[in-house]
Amino acid sequence: MHLHVGCAMWSHKSWQGRLLAHPLPAHERLRHYAAWCNAVEGNTTFYATPARETVATWARQTDPGFRFVVKLPKVITHERHLTDVDEVLRSFLNAMEPLGPRAHALWIQLPGAFGPADVSLLARFLRRLDTSHRYAVEVRHPAFFADPRAARLLEDALATVGAEWIPFDTTEFFRSPPTSDAERDAWAKKPRMPLRSLALTDQPIVRYLGRDDSARTVEGWRHWVDTTVTWLREGRSPTVFIHTPDNADAPLLARRFHDEVRARVPGLDPLPQPIPAEPLTLF
C-alpha cells in the first residue's frame, strides 16, 4: 500500500530559491524535486524522445521507489494515430530503459478526436506492446464519459492488457471564470473533462487541475482525498498529480494532499524531507 504524489514537471522558475535551491545544475534539479514529491509526470517526452544517457541521469537522481509516468511521443499518438510506429516506439522504449522500476507506467494520451470507433485500433496497439511495462491511457472524447456503452468498450480494451484509464479532472478549474493570466491561458487550452473516479487496476493514476487560489484547489480535491483513502483501504497503490494553472505552489499542494490522506490512513509512509532551498547557517 503506497501513495505517490507529484507535479507536471520537476523544475519551475517560481520554485527556484523558494522551494528548490538556486542555482542548480540540470543534473541536480530532479534530485531536489524528488525530496518534495515521490512521482512526476513525464510530459516532455511527448515532444521528443530524450537521449538514453539523459534518462540515465534521471534514474541516478531518484530512488528506485520514485515513479515516472512518461508520455508516449506525439508522433505515435497524435501524428501516426498508433499506426506504423514500431520503429519510433522501439526507440522510445530503449531510451526509457535506464529508469528500470521507476518507469511506473507509459502514458498513452490520445487526442480529443479519438472516439469509440477507434477503440479497436487502440486494442490492437496495446496487444502488440512489450508486456514488461505497465500502460495507462488518457482519452478526451466526450462520448467515453457520457455513453456507458463507449466507456465499457474502452474498459474492455484496457483490461486485456491490464492498462489503467487516467482521469484528468478539470471540474474544479472550470467551475467559475478565470481570475489570473495563468488561469485565462489554461481556460483556453485545457480540456473540459467530466469527473471519473473508477479504478481499473490496483495502481490507479489521477491528474487533478485546481486553481491558482490554493484554498480553491484544496476544496476541489475533497472527492479525490476520499477516493484515494478508499483505494488504499482496498489495497490499491494510487498516484495523484496535482496541477494548478501557474503551478507555483504545486509541490506544496502535492505534499498537503499526501498529508490529508495520511491523516486518515496512518500506515502510509511519510514523504521525504525537502532539501533546504538555502544553505543552513549557524546563526
Side-chain angles (χ1 to χ4, degrees), residues 7-9 40-47 67-74 76-78 82 89 92-93 96 103-111 122 125-126 129 133-140 158 163-168 190-191 205-208 239 241 243:
C7 307
M9 72 288 288
V40 73
E41 290 183 358
N43 283 289
T44 59
T45 57
F46 180 70
Y47 302 100
R67 286 184 171 177
F68 289 85
V69 178
V70 289
K71 193 183 295 186
L72 260 61
K74 65 178 180 179
I76 295 175
T77 55
H78 288 58
L82 309 179
L89 179 60
F92 177 76
L93 294 178
M96 294 300 113
H104 174 59
L106 301 184
W107 169 17
I108 305 168
Q109 185 185 80
L110 296 167
L122 173 64
F125 176 76
L126 291 172
L129 293 175
H133 291 282
R134 294 184 66 253
Y135 298 92
V137 174
E138 180 185 338
V139 292
R140 295 184 171 184
L158 299 179
E164 187 56 83
W165 180 339
I166 300 180
F168 185 22
K190 299 298 184 182
I205 300 168
V206 174
R207 307 177 70 223
Y208 166 74
T239 301
F241 293 110
H243 299 231

